[in-house]
Amino acid sequence: MDYPEIKRATLRLDDCENEHQYTDCTITGSDTSVHLAATEFVHCEFSGDFTASELLDVTIQRSNLANSDWARSTFSGVVWSGCRLTGSNLDACRLIQCQMTECTAKLLNLSESSLEKCRFDHCDFSEASMQAVRVKPIVGWPDCQFEAVSLQDTRLAKWDLSKAIFTNLIVSPELLPGLTIAPWQAVALIGNLGVNIRG
């Protein structure tokens, strides 16, 4: 669908309109909660406080959201593609049928969030915080970098990390049962069980 296009503008998120496309824009935080639907952002810069926002069927492509704060927000049908989310705060968020593809999300904070029918492909979550995250149904992370991700207090029964890439994870051992991994990944988790490997 062809939406009206806004180019090279600087505006607050609450000034953005539904069913518009924003290209090469700078999007800043808002003083109030924002409800935005059927909107596209292409090659935009996001900075500031976007807490308690609600995004429905929004597409964000090749945009920079590094260090932006989206805590306590709801994302439904949102697609992030080729975005930079390094250090972004998605604490206590709800993600429903969302997709994140080919994004850099190192040091992302996703703690205490819920993921419902979400998909993540070819993303870098190195050193991200995913503590006490709830997922349903099973969530896979194909070709995602998961090095040193913190999964403490996260029940891993519905997590499939068999196609993720990591040599070290931070987990709560009592919440490991049910986690799906590939055989070669087992050695990365043995240390969490208090087992020492002697060469």
Side-chain angles (χ1 to χ4, degrees):
M1 184 179 294
D2 292 328
Y3 294 143
E5 185 177 23
I6 309 296
K7 291 185 176 181
R8 293 180 291 277
T10 298
L11 62 168
R12 301 195 317 180
L13 187 64
D14 55 353
D15 292 327
C16 296
E17 299 182 61
N18 295 340
E19 299 184 352
H20 277 64
Q21 178 175 311
Y22 295 88
T23 304
D24 295 315
C25 292
T26 298
I27 311 297
T28 61
S30 304
D31 297 329
T32 59
S33 299
V34 176
H35 303 274
L36 198 60
T39 305
E40 298 179 358
F41 296 95
V42 180
H43 204 263
C44 291
E45 295 274 340
F46 289 80
S47 63
D49 184 350
F50 305 96
T51 56
S53 296
E54 183 176 356
L55 273 57
L56 172 64
D57 295 331
V58 170
T59 299
I60 307 174
Q61 302 178 41
R62 302 185 307 279
S63 295
N64 183 9
L65 301 91
N67 300 311
S68 55
D69 188 355
W70 298 85
R72 303 184 310 282
S73 292
T74 298
F75 304 94
S76 181
V78 174
V79 175
W80 295 268
S81 177
C83 292
R84 184 168 178 250
L85 292 131
T86 304
S88 295
N89 184 23
L90 275 67
D91 180 69
C93 288
R94 186 178 182 195
L95 283 71
I96 308 161
Q97 294 183 327
C98 292
Q99 182 171 339
M100 194 177 289
T101 305
E102 296 182 347
C103 292
T104 299
K106 295 180 179 180
L107 300 170
L108 175 76
N109 181 15
L110 198 62
S111 296
E112 298 186 359
S113 292
S114 65
L115 313 178
E116 303 174 30
K117 299 180 180 179
C118 293
R119 182 170 178 83
F120 304 88
D121 296 292
H122 295 82
C123 295
D124 187 350
F125 293 103
S126 300
E127 299 184 70
S129 295
M130 299 186 184
Q131 301 171 9
V133 171
R134 300 172 305 282
V135 305
K136 64 178 181 180
I138 293 175
V139 174
W141 308 80
D143 296 307
C144 288
Q145 291 283 347
F146 248 67
E147 188 63 27
V149 169
S150 176
L151 293 163
Q152 288 179 313
D153 300 321
T154 294
R155 188 173 300 278
L156 297 172
K158 295 180 180 178
W159 288 61
D160 183 351
L161 295 178
S162 62
K163 295 181 181 178
I165 303 162
F166 62 88
T167 60
N168 178 40
L169 287 179
I170 303 167
V171 301
S172 297
E174 69 276 12
L175 300 179
L176 274 173
L179 171 65
T180 300
I181 59 172
W184 62 269
Q185 295 169 325
V187 68
L189 294 175
I190 286 178
N192 290 288
L193 303 176
V195 177
N196 296 317
I197 300 175
R198 180 172 296 168

